Amino acid sequence: QVQLVESGGGLVQAGGSLRLSCAASGSIFSINSMGWYRQAPGKQREPVAAITNDGRTNYADFVKGRFTISRDNAKNTVYLQMNSLKPEDTYVYYCNADISSTSGPRRWYWGQGTQVTVSS
């Protein structure tokens, strides 16, 4: 079994910062890419940022210069540092990871989601 557990969401004023964390645990052999998505009610989930296992990053245009993705491979954890937050960043944020498990085929796993609310 593999689990992704997110933390760090909450309520923040516009211009503020939050740091999301997502820790993978369980029967993990290796973790390839990790990333963050976000979703509003009734809308499709959209990619925010991604990072490969050797540290290459990719960002959606709407977060470039404000959000930073990073990972700690020793802790099987990915982070999303969110600065200069705007009310339009209010979403549920999900992490995902491409994991090779010791007990099953390689596939993408998802966290349960964490709410980020930015007040104006």
Side-chain angles (χ1 to χ4, degrees):
Q1 295 279 357
V2 173
Q3 278 189 318
L4 299 183
V5 178
E6 296 142 350
S7 60
L11 174 64
V12 65
Q13 286 190 330
S17 299
L18 283 174
R19 188 194 195 205
L20 306 182
S21 300
C22 172
S25 63
S27 52
I28 296 170
F29 177 72
S30 64
I31 302 178
N32 305 293
S33 291
M34 305 181 82
W36 291 93
Y37 280 66
R38 66 188 193 182
Q39 187 174 26
K43 299 288 183 63
Q44 272 198 317
R45 200 168 289 188
E46 60 184 11
V48 175
I51 185 168
T52 64
N53 56 3
D54 59 356
R56 286 171 290 136
T57 59
N58 193 35
Y59 295 94
D61 285 344
F62 51 78
V63 302
K64 282 181 180 176
R66 299 189 299 125
F67 292 8
T68 303
I69 189 170
S70 61
R71 63 190 284 174
D72 184 334
N73 291 332
K75 296 181 179 180
N76 291 336
T77 299
V78 62
Y79 305 96
L80 186 68
Q81 178 66 44
M82 304 186 294
N83 298 330
S84 302
L85 282 161
K86 306 174 183 179
E88 52 264 43
D89 293 318
T90 296
Y91 285 87
V92 177
Y93 285 74
Y94 296 89
C95 68
N96 73 344
D98 178 14
I99 295 175
S100 297
S101 167
T102 58
S103 59
R106 173 179 173 177
R107 69 173 181 91
W108 287 92
Y109 292 82
W110 289 88
Q112 80 283 1
T114 186
Q115 177 71 47
V116 171
T117 303
V118 185
S119 64
S120 56

